Amino acid sequence: MSSFTLPRLMVEPLVRNALLEDLGLAGDVTSNAVITPDHCCKVVMAVRQDGVVAGLDVAALAFHLVDPEIRFEAHVRDGEKAAAGTVLATMTGRSRALLTAERVALNFLGHLSGIATITGQVVQAVAHTKAAVVCTRKTTPGLRALEKYAVRMGGGMNHRFALCDAVLIKDNHIAIAGGVKEALRRAKANAGHMLKIEVEVDRFDQLREAMEEGADAVLLDNMTPAQLREAVDFIAGRAIAEASGGITLANAAAVAESGVDLLSMGWLTHSAPVLDIGLDFEAM
């Protein structure tokens, strides 16, 4: 098993809980009924469509938590592209344990690889620009660290991990505070010197106020490529320009060509299709 790029102390409870959910109160009654306790076998985990791999260590942990004696041999690394038919890993050990862990391992690996794959497609679409592709906090509860890791494996970058990472003044903050300027003034008065301050704007009068008050970054929400170009020209490098809202794989290049620094997309994590990965028995 390779070394975790995420802290094992953080990942293990997630995998353990998934196994407990799947085992229920009686365990794997099918495998226990059909397969003798001492039977051993080899299984291969292969991808059935082209994609970017993410989550091999998490899958390996699922097998090892069920039976520490299972041998998990990865044949690729997270972040690598794999063509349909590629064998990602080979596992040998007790047959019952292998089948008990199978679904949890595949659920994690397929989900995370799906995120890495779609992220990689967007990254490729904007590769001719300076724009970076970032995810958001629109993640599956409890799985944020893993999903954001998968974005990185696809070549993307991470936005905030949590509310404490940075100040991000959004439309409701602005409405309650009474405007962009007042919200920024309050943020500057209360945020520590280590916290960056970003403000969301969807109008040019708000953008002007944000720049007048010295925002570190501006989230340009639901603007057209033409509006984004105008906004980038106005910002003129004084703040990070982030485009968000309505960005798809189809229009990502046009958005990036406006000159923004970042493209943020929640759907990278909340709507990525699962990459089809299967596990099959091989005679020893």
Side-chain angles (χ1 to χ4, degrees):
M1 185 174 181
S2 59
S3 300
F4 269 92
T5 50
L6 288 165
R8 178 168 175 152
L9 286 175
M10 178 182 66
V11 176
E12 184 168 327
L14 304 179
V15 180
R16 192 178 294 276
N17 285 341
L19 288 167
L20 290 173
E21 177 183 60
D22 213 23
L23 287 165
L25 297 177
D28 184 356
V29 295
T30 306
S31 296
N32 291 344
V34 174
I35 302 171
T36 58
D38 59 346
H39 188 275
C40 294
C41 72
K42 177 171 71 172
V43 293
V44 295
M45 190 180 289
V47 63
R48 294 169 176 165
Q49 60 187 121
D50 297 351
V52 178
V53 180
L56 282 169
D57 276 344
V58 184
L61 182 57
F63 289 105
H64 290 152
L65 287 175
V66 173
D67 185 351
E69 295 185 9
I70 288 175
R71 181 184 175 190
F72 185 101
E73 182 182 1
H75 304 303
V76 300
R77 293 179 178 274
D78 280 3
E80 289 185 3
K81 294 180 179 179
T86 300
V87 174
L88 305 181
T90 302
M91 290 75 69
T92 54
R94 295 181 182 90
S95 302
R96 280 185 177 181
L98 288 167
L99 296 185
T100 295
E102 172 187 1
R103 179 42 50 198
V104 168
L106 289 176
N107 283 350
F108 276 114
L109 186 59
H111 177 54
L112 299 179
S113 296
I115 292 172
T117 298
I118 196 66
T119 301
Q121 292 173 5
V122 180
V123 168
Q124 182 61 37
V126 304
H128 60 292
T129 74
K130 68 173 184 177
V133 174
V134 301
C135 54
T136 71
R137 285 170 40 247
K138 295 178 181 178
T139 54
T140 307
L143 298 184
R144 179 171 296 168
L146 291 178
E147 291 176 344
K148 283 183 171 285
Y149 165 78
V151 168
R152 298 197 302 275
M153 291 302 97
M157 296 172 58
N158 297 148
H159 209 279
R160 292 188 298 174
F161 271 81
L163 292 169
C164 59
D165 286 352
V167 176
L168 177 49
I169 303 168
K170 305 197 77 175
D171 54 354
N172 286 326
H173 298 107
I174 293 168
I176 293 170
V180 169
K181 282 190 175 183
E182 183 59 27
L184 274 166
R185 288 168 182 164
R186 294 182 188 183
K188 286 186 172 183
N190 290 281
H193 70 285
M194 296 293 288
L195 288 177
K196 295 287 186 179
I197 301 175
E198 181 172 16
V199 61
E200 176 185 78
V201 302
D202 55 18
R203 304 193 314 264
F204 276 84
D205 60 310
Q206 293 178 324
L207 176 59
R208 283 190 291 272
E209 290 183 22
M211 298 312 301
E212 288 171 4
E213 290 299 319
D216 297 305
V218 183
L219 191 156
L220 306 165
D221 190 42
N222 284 301
M223 292 188 178
T224 66
Q227 290 172 324
L228 288 170
R229 282 192 292 273
E230 186 178 351
V232 168
D233 288 342
F234 178 75
I235 294 169
R238 292 174 291 167
I240 294 171
E242 174 183 348
S244 182
I247 303 173
T248 67
L249 181 57
N251 68 11
V255 172
E257 288 165 0
S258 69
V260 294
D261 301 295
L262 305 173
L263 274 64
S264 61
M265 289 157 281
W267 60 269
L268 294 178
T269 49
H270 70 61
S271 297
V274 171
L275 189 67
D276 190 5
I277 300 171
L279 184 143
D280 295 298
F281 168 82
E282 281 195 357
M284 294 182 66

